[in-house]
């Protein structure tokens, strides 16, 4: 029998509160560095236990009962999301070889349909010397909803594949150069173990061969004769690179590389000209890089820069005047990165006991600009750079590279030309840049501008709008975005005060009068930046008079590498105090009613939610933590758990370092729950999440309820068929978002449309 107490639903005549599930206490101890912690709920980790599953179902029943009165609000928000979203939608076709590829999304369907149409190849080839004609050949065809283009083919109907399974997610797709073969990987359980399959696009049929238990998506070399894929170890770390030869059994696949360092995560991708496989094994502090010649089936990976160099970097091959060179984006010259030009021979020919020479400096380190990376084309190099929190693209000419190769002084990234946009807060990123194409494609969006697709001509640099994502029945002029800077009380080495950027989104009828319900969102880990992005679901909150504030706290990458380093390892608590400082500043600037503030964060942002709940519960009326990393110390102390060893570069290694152990224990949400009046708390998770295991929020809510000194509910909602991203399919995703937002709006007292 289970000791879990099932939730009791309220009836129309029974106004008593439902009873929360109570898990049995089964003490287990762990001791590190002389400190013993007794955990009463570690047994909930037994995922295959019928008792655990029964308890999780009881948690869902309790959450459903406690939030039953929010159902009308959930339905309203879901309907608003659904109505505003153009359900029958399509992408702008992208050209690869002799085909234009695009997606269609149909009303009533959960997933995208992948399509293509032939390009006018003979005319294109004959006019290659004519620049104007060549540009015209790269003008995408006009795709209309419900109208089939001449020669249109469906190459992959995700809905048809997903209909066979309760959960479905694509890991990735890769096409041969001629478009005759599609390699794809699929996950049908949510555990991120993918099956690699191959489809003959001339017949539309899958080949009989398949490869099981791969990590992520495959990479086909251009001829389609070979596919490259990764396999993860027991800790979910991609560590083995295999080559599969089409027409052979998976058992015959050749192991090309095995990375033994448990702190390195390996990823692969083709070079811009598709001649080499780029292999980067790294973490948040250093990488090692390799190249593999994919034109030679017998080739072996060649090590360029080893992990012992402790350099964070990426490699991009480029051909300049017939010479094959390497562009290296690296932090050797400073934390915000620089760009150097060298060759593979120069890198591999250096002695290991001497300082690494990365060649000619092209773009130097800048204190105010973070060089994020480059995209290589035959016409120029496209640079992704971040300045004042905003990431955009700039153009680096081949002539500048030639000058650097000959010894010219480097040029500043901040002086490079780039496309101009009218908004202050936006995101612009390269999404397509075929090597020989006369143009490249970017996606642009802001907090209040739906995604726009622009093609930018290499010669002229002028953006040409191809599409703006349509939104139904929304006056986008009704919303505003502004930037605040919250003082933290901390100072830099030069004596200046450290301030936290806050993005404030609100309806135009909302003013800073001290009366507004406010939702504060935060993440603050892994150098991930919360960049401007448009979200239809968010409008449902703004229309209810809620101020939506994003706190760009330390630990993220918005203000360069230093901003990240000041929020990790033994400085991690800066992330939490920054969030609280942002909350206080919103009150001081009268954007927020101090009695009506809620918070939202997921994964590492869920850890932030747990830490803030312990540090300042009195400041918030509700906290929603999505797949929350709230038992982080327990997880990182066990290197056999998924991804744990990889986390040491982010949080420190509490196994070997007693200072790290003490520091992490001082803020770990699960271990610092105390007798206090907590706000309403909801933990949302998935049973098959391999990144943040369901057991963390399952244990957390038990301890929160034990120490709760107030009347606010603590609930957990668990998706029994989902992974780290929740359930599969866009409608299910909308329902999850509606649940989250309804919970928050309800506790903010802002359930009705008041704007």
């Amino acid at each position: 029998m289970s000791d879990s107490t099932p939730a009791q639903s309220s009836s129309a005549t029974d106004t008593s509160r439902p009873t929360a599930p109570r898990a049995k206490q089964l003490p287990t101890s762990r001791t590190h560095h002389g400190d013993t912690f007794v955990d009463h709920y570690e047994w909930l980790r037994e995922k295959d236990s019928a008792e655990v599953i029964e308890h999780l179902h009881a948690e869902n029943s309790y959450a459903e009962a406690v939030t039953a009165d929010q159902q009308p609000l959930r339905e309203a928000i879901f309907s608003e999301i659904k109505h505003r979203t153009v359900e029958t939608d399509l992408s702008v076709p992208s050209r690869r070889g002799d085909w234009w590829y695009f997606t269609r999304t149909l009303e009533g369907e959960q997933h995208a349909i992948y399509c293509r149409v032939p390009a006018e190849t003979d005319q294109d080839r004959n006019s290659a010397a004519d620049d104007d004609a060549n540009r015209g050949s790269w003008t995408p065809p006009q795709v209309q909803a419900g109208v089939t283009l001449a020669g249109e083919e469906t190459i992959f109907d995700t809905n048809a594949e997903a209909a066979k399974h309760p959960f479905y997610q694509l890991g990735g797709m890769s096409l041969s150069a001629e478009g005759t073969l599609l390699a794809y990987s699929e996950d049908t359980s949510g555990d991120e173990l993918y099956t690699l399959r191959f489809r003959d696009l001339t017949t539309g049929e899958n080949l009989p061969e398949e490869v099981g238990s791969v990590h992520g998506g495959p990479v086909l070399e251009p001829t389609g004769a070979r596919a490259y894929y990764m396999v993860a170890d027991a800790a979910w770390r991609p560590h083995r690179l295999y080559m599969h030869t089409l027409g052979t059994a998976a058992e015959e696949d050749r192991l090309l590389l095995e990375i033994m360092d448990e702190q390195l995560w390996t990823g692969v991708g083709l070079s811009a000209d598709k001649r080499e496989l780029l292999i980067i094994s790294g973490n948040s502090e250093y990488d090692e890089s390799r190249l593999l010649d994919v034109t030679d089936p017998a080739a072996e990976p060649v090590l360029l820069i080893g992990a012992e160099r402790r350099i964070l970097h990426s490699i991009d091959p480029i051909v300049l005047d017939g010479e094959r060179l390497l562009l290296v984006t690296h932090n050797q010259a400073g934390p915000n990165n620089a760009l150097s030009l060298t060759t593979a021979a120069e890198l591999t020919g250096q002695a290991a006991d001497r300082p690494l020479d990365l060649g000619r400096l092209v773009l130097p380190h800048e204190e105010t600009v973070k060089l994020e990376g480059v995209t290589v084309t035959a016409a120029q190099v496209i640079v992704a750079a971040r300045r004042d929190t905003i990431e955009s693209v700039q153009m680096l000419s081949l002539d500048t590279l030639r000058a650097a190769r000959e010894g010219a002084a480097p040029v500043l990234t901040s002086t490079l030309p780039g496309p101009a946009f009218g908004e202050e807060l936006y995101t612009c990123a390269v999404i397509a840049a075929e090597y020989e194409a006369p143009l490249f494609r970017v996606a642009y969006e802001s907090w209040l501008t739906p995604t726009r697709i622009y093609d930018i001509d290499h010669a002229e640099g002028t953006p040409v709008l191809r599409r703006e994502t349509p939104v139904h029945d929304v006056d986008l002029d009704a919303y505003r975005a502004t930037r605040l800077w919250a003082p933290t009380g901390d100072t830099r080495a030069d004596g200046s005060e450290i301030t936290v950027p806050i993005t404030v989104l609100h309806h135009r009828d909302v003013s800073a009068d001290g009366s507004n319900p406010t939702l504060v969102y935060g993440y603050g880990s892994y150098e991930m930046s919360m960049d401007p992005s448009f979200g239809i679901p968010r409008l449902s909150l703004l229309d209810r008079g809620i101020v939506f504030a994003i706190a760009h706290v330390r630990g993220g990458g918005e203000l360069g590498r230093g901003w990240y380093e000041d929020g990790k390892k033994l400085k991690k608590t800066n992330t939490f105090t920054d969030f609280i400082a942002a909350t206080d500043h919103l009150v001081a600037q009268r954007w927020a009613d101090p009695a009506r503030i809620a918070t939202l964060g997921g994964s590492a942002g869920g850890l932030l939610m747990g830490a803030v709940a312990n540090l300042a519960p009195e400041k918030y009326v509700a906290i929603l933590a999505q797949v929350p990393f709230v038992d982080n110390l327990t997880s990182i102390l066990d290197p056999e758990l998924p991804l744990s060893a990889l986390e040491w570069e982010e949080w420190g290694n509490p196994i070997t370092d007693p200072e790290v152990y003490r520091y992490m224990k001082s803020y770990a949400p699960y271990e610092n729950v105390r007798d206090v009046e907590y706000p309403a708390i909801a933990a949302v998770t998935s049973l098959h999440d391999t990144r943040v295991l369901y057991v963390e929020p399952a244990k957390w809510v038990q301890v929160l309820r034990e120490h709760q000194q107030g009347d606010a509910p603590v609930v957990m909602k668990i998706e029994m068929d989902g992974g780290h991203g929740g359930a599969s399919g866009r409608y299910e995703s909308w329902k999850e978002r509606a649940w989250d937002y309804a919970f928050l709006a309800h506790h903010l007292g802002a359930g009705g449309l008041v704007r």
Side-chain angles (χ1 to χ4, degrees):
M1 292 291 293
S2 170
D3 288 347
S4 299
T5 304
Q8 302 171 2
S9 300
S10 299
S11 67
T13 58
D14 181 11
T15 58
S16 64
R17 172 173 291 185
T19 302
R22 185 175 63 251
K24 69 181 180 183
Q25 293 191 352
L26 187 62
T28 58
S29 298
R30 68 153 203 257
T31 300
H32 289 272
H33 308 295
D35 175 74
T36 298
F37 174 69
V38 178
D39 190 340
H40 295 284
Y41 300 110
E42 180 63 13
W43 69 272
L44 289 171
R45 192 178 300 276
E46 299 170 15
K47 183 179 178 180
D48 295 329
S49 163
E51 185 176 5
V52 170
I53 296 300
E54 182 181 353
H55 173 76
L56 297 178
H57 281 300
E59 287 284 9
N60 272 343
S61 297
Y62 176 66
E64 182 179 355
V66 167
T67 65
D69 57 342
Q70 298 167 29
Q71 181 62 25
L73 182 54
R74 289 198 288 265
E75 292 175 354
I77 294 175
F78 175 80
S79 295
E80 291 161 17
I81 297 170
K82 189 172 184 291
H83 174 72
R84 286 168 166 166
T85 302
V86 178
E87 294 186 67
T88 301
D89 202 6
L90 43 92
S91 65
V92 179
S94 295
R95 182 160 180 184
R96 276 201 62 187
D98 295 343
W99 298 89
W100 288 101
Y101 293 88
F102 59 99
T103 61
R104 292 184 182 271
T105 306
L106 305 182
E107 183 174 357
E109 298 287 0
Q110 297 269 26
H111 303 276
I113 301 171
Y114 294 83
C115 308
R116 69 179 182 181
V117 65
E120 298 177 357
T121 56
D122 290 339
Q123 177 183 348
D124 292 350
R125 293 192 185 104
N126 292 337
S127 63
D130 185 332
D131 287 344
D132 291 334
N134 198 32
R135 289 191 194 98
S137 71
W138 284 83
T139 300
Q142 295 294 314
V143 183
Q144 298 179 355
V147 178
T148 302
L149 297 176
E152 181 176 335
E153 301 176 2
T154 295
I155 63 173
F156 195 88
D157 184 347
T158 316
N159 298 292
E161 304 298 330
K164 307 169 188 175
H165 311 280
F167 177 92
Y168 191 85
Q169 185 177 64
L170 282 170
M173 290 179 163
S174 185
L175 284 157
S176 63
E178 293 186 354
T180 56
L181 182 70
L182 171 70
Y184 68 95
S185 61
E186 59 183 7
D187 171 16
T188 58
S189 68
D191 62 3
E192 297 187 62
L193 278 176
Y194 294 87
T195 299
L196 172 58
R197 304 186 190 279
F198 303 91
R199 179 165 297 182
D200 182 343
L201 295 184
T202 62
T203 65
E205 299 296 326
N206 275 12
L207 302 180
E209 61 203 87
E210 63 181 49
V211 184
S213 299
V214 308
H215 185 279
V219 176
L220 274 178
E221 56 83 28
T223 70
R226 295 173 296 281
Y228 302 89
Y229 63 89
M230 296 298 303
V231 170
D233 61 13
W236 235 259
R237 177 182 66 95
H239 71 133
R240 288 178 178 168
L241 173 64
Y242 284 90
M243 182 182 76
H244 174 78
T245 300
L246 272 291
T248 66
E251 293 77 12
E252 301 175 28
D253 289 357
R254 178 178 158 213
L255 177 63
L256 295 170
L257 178 67
E258 182 171 10
I259 302 298
M260 303 303 294
D261 187 337
E262 61 186 0
Q263 296 185 67
L264 296 181
W265 175 292
T266 302
V268 298
L270 286 177
S271 61
D273 60 5
K274 299 179 175 58
R275 285 175 47 187
E276 291 171 299
L277 190 71
L278 309 176
I279 308 165
I280 299 291
S281 304
N283 53 47
S284 64
E285 298 196 341
Y286 59 90
D287 303 298
E288 65 180 20
S289 53
R290 292 174 172 85
L291 287 180
L292 175 70
D293 182 358
V294 299
T295 68
D296 179 4
E300 299 285 346
V302 176
L303 180 66
L304 298 177
I305 300 175
E308 72 280 357
R309 296 289 190 175
R310 289 304 191 264
I311 294 176
L312 201 61
H313 69 280
S314 60
I315 300 285
D316 291 276
I318 185 171
V319 176
L320 191 63
D321 304 326
E323 182 184 11
R324 194 163 187 81
L325 304 172
L326 298 178
L327 286 169
V328 185
T329 305
H330 60 88
N331 68 344
Q332 189 181 62
N336 282 340
N337 292 339
L339 184 69
S340 294
L341 186 67
T342 186
T343 67
E346 289 172 350
L347 288 179
T348 57
Q350 297 185 46
D353 60 350
R354 298 185 62 81
L356 182 64
D357 182 357
L358 292 175
R360 297 289 187 179
L361 190 61
V362 181
L363 302 175
H365 176 267
E366 291 185 66
E367 291 293 338
T368 58
V369 178
K370 172 69 185 301
L371 179 59
E372 301 283 10
V374 300
T375 300
V376 169
T377 74
Q380 65 179 335
V381 176
I382 308 160
V383 178
R386 183 182 301 278
R387 188 175 189 178
D388 295 331
T389 78
I390 300 303
E391 182 178 351
S392 192
V393 297
Q394 295 171 270
M395 276 77 86
L396 175 64
S397 71
L398 299 186
D399 284 341
T400 301
L401 291 183
R402 291 185 180 98
R405 182 181 58 183
E406 301 305 318
V411 299
L412 295 175
T413 303
S414 55
T415 65
L416 297 177
F421 300 102
E423 292 180 277
E424 176 188 3
L425 305 177
Y426 67 89
T427 300
C428 179
V430 175
I431 57 172
E434 285 297 300
Y435 188 66
E436 296 288 352
L439 47 79
F440 64 97
R441 180 168 291 173
V442 301
Y444 171 95
E445 64 181 319
S446 77
W447 297 113
L448 305 176
T449 302
T451 302
R452 293 174 179 169
I453 303 301
Y454 290 97
D455 280 342
I456 300 178
D457 188 283
H458 282 302
E460 299 176 359
T462 302
V464 176
L465 180 63
R466 297 301 189 192
R467 182 175 186 270
E468 179 172 326
T469 304
V471 182
H472 277 153
D473 292 341
V474 174
D475 176 13
L476 295 177
D477 290 334
Y479 308 100
R480 301 287 183 268
T482 190
R483 171 62 53 82
L484 302 177
W485 294 85
T488 64
D490 294 341
T491 57
R492 299 182 179 85
D494 62 5
S496 61
E497 184 174 27
I498 295 173
T499 55
V500 178
I502 310 171
T503 299
V504 177
L505 309 177
H506 61 95
H507 194 279
R508 65 186 170 199
D509 293 340
V510 169
S511 60
D513 61 6
S515 68
N516 303 314
T518 299
L519 174 61
V520 190
Y521 174 84
Y523 186 78
S525 292
Y526 303 106
E527 203 177 357
M528 291 182 63
S529 298
M530 300 299 102
D531 289 328
S533 61
F534 181 79
I536 286 178
R538 193 188 301 130
L539 302 180
S540 292
L541 296 182
L542 302 185
D543 286 345
R544 287 169 170 80
I546 296 173
V547 171
F548 195 110
I550 300 95
H552 304 278
V553 294
R554 280 177 281 184
E558 287 91 339
L559 294 176
R561 180 74 181 184
W563 195 247
Y564 164 56
E565 291 176 343
D566 276 349
K568 65 180 294 191
K569 290 191 173 179
L570 296 178
K571 297 181 179 180
K572 185 63 206 172
T573 57
N574 286 336
T575 302
F576 317 141
T577 56
D578 280 1
F579 190 89
I580 295 170
T583 300
D584 291 342
H585 194 63
L586 288 164
V587 173
Q589 296 299 305
R590 298 181 58 77
W591 279 110
D593 177 350
R596 290 201 294 167
I597 303 176
T599 70
L600 172 65
S603 196
L607 184 153
L608 170 60
M609 297 299 100
V612 166
N614 291 332
L615 289 171
E618 72 283 356
K619 294 183 184 292
Y620 307 101
V621 296
I623 294 175
L624 194 139
Q626 301 163 320
V627 290
F629 191 34
V630 284
D631 191 20
N632 56 311
L633 183 53
T634 299
S635 294
I636 297 174
L637 281 168
D638 187 351
E640 295 185 1
L641 288 178
L643 308 182
S644 287
L646 292 167
E647 299 288 354
W648 296 337
E649 296 304 326
E650 181 73 19
W651 313 93
N653 187 343
I655 299 173
T656 59
D657 191 330
E659 183 182 11
V660 169
Y661 176 87
R662 288 191 293 270
Y663 186 76
M664 289 187 67
K665 186 169 183 179
S666 74
Y667 70 75
Y670 179 57
E671 298 182 35
N672 285 279
V673 175
R674 55 197 176 96
D675 290 334
V676 72
E677 184 174 340
Y678 282 99
I681 294 177
V684 180
T685 189
S686 296
L687 180 63
H688 300 298
D689 190 344
T690 57
R691 297 172 186 259
V692 179
L693 300 184
Y694 74 91
V695 67
E696 298 200 25
K699 292 162 58 174
W700 183 48
V701 297
Q702 289 296 312
V703 176
L704 281 169
R705 290 176 189 145
E706 291 175 6
H707 290 270
Q708 171 67 289
Q709 301 299 297
D711 297 325
V714 176
V715 302
M716 183 177 82
K717 185 172 78 74
I718 181 167
E719 172 57 55
M720 301 301 285
D721 291 316
H724 192 61
S728 62
R730 58 176 177 163
Y731 293 106
E732 296 308 312
S733 175
W734 296 346
K735 289 176 183 177
E736 290 181 347
R737 187 64 57 86
W739 196 98
D740 295 349
Y741 282 1
F743 179 87
L744 294 164
H746 169 82
H747 288 285
L748 285 170
L753 284 169
V754 296
R755 304 293 177 183

